[in-house]
Amino acid sequence: MYRSHTNGELNSEHINQEVVLSGWVQKVRDKGFMIWADLRDRYGITQLIFDEERTPAVMMEDAKKLGREFVIQVKGTVIERESKNPNLPTGDIEILVKELTILNEAKTPPFTIEDETDGGEDLRMKYRYLDIRRNPVKNKLIFRHKVAMEVRNFLSSEGFIEVETPYLIKSTPEGARDFVVPSRMNGGQFYALPQSPQTFKQLLMVGGMDKYFQIVKCFRDEDLRADRQPEFTQIDCELAFVDQEDILNIFENLTRHLLQKINNVSVDKFPRMTYDDALRLYGNDKPDIRFGMEFGELNEVAQHKEFKVFNDAELVVGIAVPGGASYSRKEIDKLINWVKRPQVGALGMVYAKYNEDGSFKSSVDKFYDEEDLKHWAEKTKAQPGDLICVLSGDTNKVRVQLSALRMEMAERLGLRKADDFAPLWVVDFPLLEWDEETERYHAMHHPFTSPKPGQIPLLATDPAAVKANAYDLVLNGNEIGGGSIRIHDKATQAQMFDYLGFTEEEAKAQFGFLMDAFQYGAPPHGGLAFGLDRLVAILGGQETIRDFIAFPKNNAGRDVMIDAPAPIDEQQLKELRLSVVKTKE
């Protein structure tokens, strides 16, 4: 056998026992007459000792050859360690080596395999298999496993059945671009990789499976924003004979279960907020409610004065930054420059200090007196000592800009605490959104989302006013899950396709199989999908998902370790009846 124990389990209770260990050499300390080596595996580190008095000369020579990341096996005796290390579970003992076998030598790694490494991100991505040996990455992957197991345990206990759905499916025009796969056996035709198992999980409900789930890879060929991956993992769920309330209750309980089991945190309240209120109060549809700084709309108290900037704006809106009245003019100027950066895009910022003595000092004192500014404070819920920051302009743009400022100030003030969890349901999304480029409505979620009960007639008269029977679960300012009640009858689905601009022929070509299935008794059904990568990162107290994925892509969608994507040879192209058109650089 290669080992009798792992490198993380031996302690003083094992003293005088004969053991066999295997692993990687973390480091070697050679004092000439005595050599220590740290042996590492997934479970921990155990110190090995070789000395001239108790170790044969041949083995001492072999021990001197050991280098970092050599793979070795040792047999020896557990002895008490003279200089104990309280920071290691194995710190009270060491192994007096009697036999040493070098299983594999190793080149010197391109970066140190330590918690604090000298390797940059690009280098560690290229040698990801080495990076995984480091505790920060290894522990995140183990953490991900624990979350996935708890998900499976909970859903199985609730009667869900895990069913796999196909990866080679049909391309659909809605949503992001598909990754496409040419078919050799069906020349000129292509599969697509699923952006989600949406239609298949609905078909499973038609098939009577009642409660389905799957931890599944999904794929989107879209321009990558920060911390996005072209392939990602969903906890995909669908249920029959449910309404929105049923689904929200089940997945609140799943989230509670995960927070309790993984983080030892109890969360009772899952507040609900409409989409319109989320935009009005926080400027986005996934607000972080761990802290305040809610928006205060100031049109009625800031316009109709002589300040043209505000008078010409569609929306004047502000937030109260706690303690900000103490900021110097230089600090405020830096804030103004921050919101004027291209990434935010504001043209400027007006501010008003609400001093501790109850007086006000603003950058627009020429146009607004103390009574006016008191109204600003009321609208933004400012307290003495706060700084009121005000932006103005087009409603949609200024909300996004102020949302960015709110999050930045919360970060600077230490209000976004990783161990504080604040879930929120956002409900009543618009069913449709207008696309200026195509001059038609698109489904905000997907074309299978049901309108709110009783709102179908509005599709003919006021499509923009129709609300979707849809919901998103937000945790700490991140959307971790979303779903909807689905359309389950052919007539309503055909009507929806018509409003989305599909001809009858196009709808039949793309989704005829689903429409046909609805003719055979489709139950009312709905579902939700969690983004596992994001959920795991948040539960792990991190903002970035990359280290919770074993082999992630970079921001250009490339796997630099295996150098993919890559060209394929001419024979493969010929078999697939494809030719590559070279574009100009």
Side-chain angles (χ1 to χ4, degrees):
M1 62 181 177
Y2 280 108
R3 59 188 178 190
S4 60
H5 299 78
T6 69
N7 289 314
E9 66 177 298
L10 296 174
N11 55 49
S12 56
E13 294 180 3
H14 298 91
I15 288 174
N16 295 325
Q17 289 188 21
E18 299 296 313
V19 297
V20 183
L21 301 179
S22 294
W24 288 264
V25 176
Q26 175 82 14
K27 64 175 66 170
V28 177
R29 299 176 296 283
D30 187 349
K31 298 295 185 181
F33 62 92
M34 193 172 290
I35 299 171
W36 291 275
D38 289 344
L39 189 64
R40 185 196 72 243
D41 61 11
R42 193 186 96 190
Y43 309 94
I45 288 176
T46 297
Q47 181 169 283
L48 312 178
I49 183 170
F50 307 81
D51 72 63
E52 289 180 346
E53 292 183 4
R54 296 175 287 182
T55 303
V58 173
M59 194 188 303
M60 285 293 290
E61 287 304 312
D62 287 342
K64 289 180 181 292
K65 298 174 185 176
L66 294 178
R68 282 195 293 139
E69 301 308 308
F70 274 39
V71 184
I72 65 172
Q73 179 195 51
V74 297
K75 297 179 182 179
T77 305
V78 182
I79 63 174
E80 186 174 1
R81 188 165 163 173
E82 287 189 14
S83 179
K84 294 179 173 57
N85 184 347
N87 298 318
L88 282 179
T90 60
D92 289 346
I93 59 94
E94 59 192 359
I95 308 302
L96 177 61
V97 179
K98 295 181 178 178
E99 292 183 33
L100 167 64
T101 304
I102 296 176
L103 300 173
N104 221 330
E105 295 184 357
K107 291 173 63 175
T108 301
F111 54 85
T112 55
I113 312 298
E114 302 278 357
D115 291 4
E116 298 294 330
T117 184
D118 56 358
E121 186 173 359
D122 290 343
L123 185 64
R124 290 186 289 110
M125 288 276 281
K126 184 175 181 180
Y127 296 94
R128 183 63 167 181
Y129 47 86
L130 296 180
D131 202 26
I132 289 172
R133 296 179 188 176
R134 297 172 52 243
N135 285 327
V137 180
K138 175 198 74 178
N139 290 339
K140 287 182 174 68
L141 297 181
I142 294 171
F143 183 84
R144 181 188 179 106
H145 161 74
K146 290 178 179 176
V147 173
M149 287 302 296
E150 289 299 337
V151 168
R152 284 192 163 97
N153 291 341
F154 177 87
L155 292 175
S156 297
S157 73
E158 292 289 325
F160 285 77
I161 304 299
E162 187 165 12
V163 182
E164 295 179 50
T165 53
Y167 277 179
L168 296 176
I169 66 168
K170 192 174 190 175
S171 184
T172 59
E174 290 293 316
R177 294 185 187 89
D178 290 324
F179 281 101
V180 294
V181 181
S183 170
R184 180 183 59 80
M185 292 183 289
N186 301 275
Q189 295 185 314
F190 297 82
Y191 299 105
L193 299 179
Q195 297 184 34
S196 83
Q198 182 60 48
T199 53
F200 288 99
K201 63 182 179 181
Q202 291 190 248
L203 290 171
L204 285 170
M205 297 303 101
V206 177
M209 290 307 293
D210 197 65
K211 290 182 177 181
Y212 140 93
F213 88 98
Q214 181 183 191
I215 296 180
V216 59
K217 280 285 186 189
C218 301
F219 308 85
R220 288 181 186 163
D221 185 9
E222 59 185 350
D223 296 334
L224 297 182
R225 287 174 277 168
D227 206 33
R228 288 285 184 96
Q229 291 285 304
E231 51 183 326
F232 53 96
T233 305
Q234 283 187 180
I235 307 165
D236 199 56
C237 305
E238 196 80 4
L239 305 88
F241 302 108
V242 291
D243 58 20
Q244 178 174 302
E245 195 66 27
D246 296 321
I247 291 177
L248 268 56
N249 286 335
I250 287 173
F251 293 104
E252 279 182 20
N253 288 335
L254 171 57
T255 308
R256 284 193 184 96
H257 175 83
L258 292 174
L259 287 168
Q260 183 64 59
K261 290 289 187 180
I262 301 298
N263 299 89
N264 197 28
V265 170
S266 295
V267 176
D268 294 325
K269 295 182 180 179
F270 280 66
R272 299 180 187 182
M273 182 180 297
T274 66
Y275 171 84
D276 291 339
D277 282 346
L279 294 187
R280 180 177 60 83
L281 295 173
Y282 298 99
N284 67 74
D285 60 3
K286 48 181 184 297
D288 191 337
I289 59 170
R290 286 175 291 181
F291 54 94
M293 287 195 279
E294 291 182 0
F295 289 11
E297 295 190 353
L298 305 176
N299 287 40
E300 65 180 46
V301 296
Q303 290 183 327
H304 312 300
K305 301 286 181 178
E306 295 182 9
F307 190 47
K308 190 172 186 301
V309 173
F310 283 177
N311 290 340
D312 292 345
E314 183 179 8
L315 177 66
V316 183
V317 62
I319 57 172
V321 177
S326 63
Y327 290 4
S328 67
R329 178 58 191 268
K330 186 176 181 181
E331 288 174 311
I332 294 174
D333 285 344
K334 285 182 178 179
L335 269 187
I336 295 172
N337 290 332
W338 189 90
V339 300
K340 290 168 72 173
R341 297 179 314 142
Q343 298 94 318
V344 180
L347 296 177
M349 184 185 86
V350 169
Y351 69 88
K353 289 184 176 184
Y354 189 177
N355 297 315
E356 293 284 359
D357 62 4
S359 64
F360 290 88
K361 176 65 180 173
S362 81
S363 56
V364 285
D365 281 345
K366 179 180 177 182
F367 304 99
Y368 299 94
D369 58 26
E370 291 259 335
E371 195 62 30
D372 293 325
L373 298 177
K374 191 178 293 183
H375 291 313
W376 291 18
E378 290 169 358
K379 292 287 187 181
T380 59
K381 300 178 182 176
Q383 299 296 314
D386 291 351
L387 176 71
I388 303 170
C389 299
V390 182
L391 302 181
S392 62
D394 174 79
T395 296
N396 293 335
K397 288 182 180 178
V398 80
R399 281 175 171 170
V400 172
Q401 292 161 359
L402 191 61
S403 175
L405 177 61
R406 174 179 179 268
M407 295 296 280
E408 175 67 17
M409 297 313 300
E411 192 71 39
R412 294 185 186 188
L413 295 170
L415 301 178
R416 302 185 66 204
K417 297 176 181 177
D419 58 354
D420 185 14
F421 297 96
L424 169 74
W425 285 108
V426 178
V427 297
D428 294 352
F429 286 82
L431 181 69
L432 306 171
E433 56 185 347
W434 181 257
D435 187 298
E436 294 289 349
E437 191 174 322
T438 59
E439 295 187 339
R440 66 182 179 92
Y441 283 105
H442 287 263
M444 178 169 270
H445 285 78
H446 53 65
F448 314 109
T449 297
S450 172
K452 281 281 188 182
Q455 294 201 358
I456 290 177
L458 274 176
L459 284 170
T461 58
D462 191 4
V466 180
K467 298 298 184 184
N469 208 343
Y471 33 83
D472 280 357
L473 181 56
V474 177
L475 184 61
N476 295 359
N478 293 274
E479 178 196 334
I480 60 168
S484 65
I485 299 298
R486 323 300 186 191
I487 296 168
H488 67 277
D489 66 279
K490 184 177 180 179
T492 305
Q493 189 63 74
Q495 188 179 4
M496 178 60 71
F497 285 143
D498 181 51
Y499 282 113
L500 293 174
F502 287 87
T503 65
E504 187 175 343
E505 293 74 21
E506 287 171 336
K508 185 173 179 58
Q510 293 292 335
F511 305 109
F513 61 94
L514 185 65
M515 304 282 277
D516 290 344
F518 284 174
Q519 297 179 98
Y520 293 93
H525 59 282
L528 181 142
F530 282 88
L532 180 63
D533 307 310
R534 182 75 55 200
L535 174 62
V536 169
I538 294 170
L539 295 178
Q542 302 291 317
E543 291 287 329
T544 178
I545 66 174
R546 186 171 291 171
D547 279 349
F548 291 90
I549 299 171
F551 299 103
K553 306 289 190 291
N554 67 12
N555 287 340
R558 294 196 65 83
D559 186 327
V560 295
M561 182 184 69
I562 63 172
D563 193 23
I568 59 175
D569 64 39
E570 288 297 327
Q571 182 59 34
Q572 286 176 291
L573 289 171
K574 187 175 180 181
E575 289 175 346
L576 295 167
R577 302 173 181 83
L578 294 176
S579 60
V580 176
V581 178
K582 293 185 178 180
T583 57
K584 293 181 180 179
E585 293 294 332

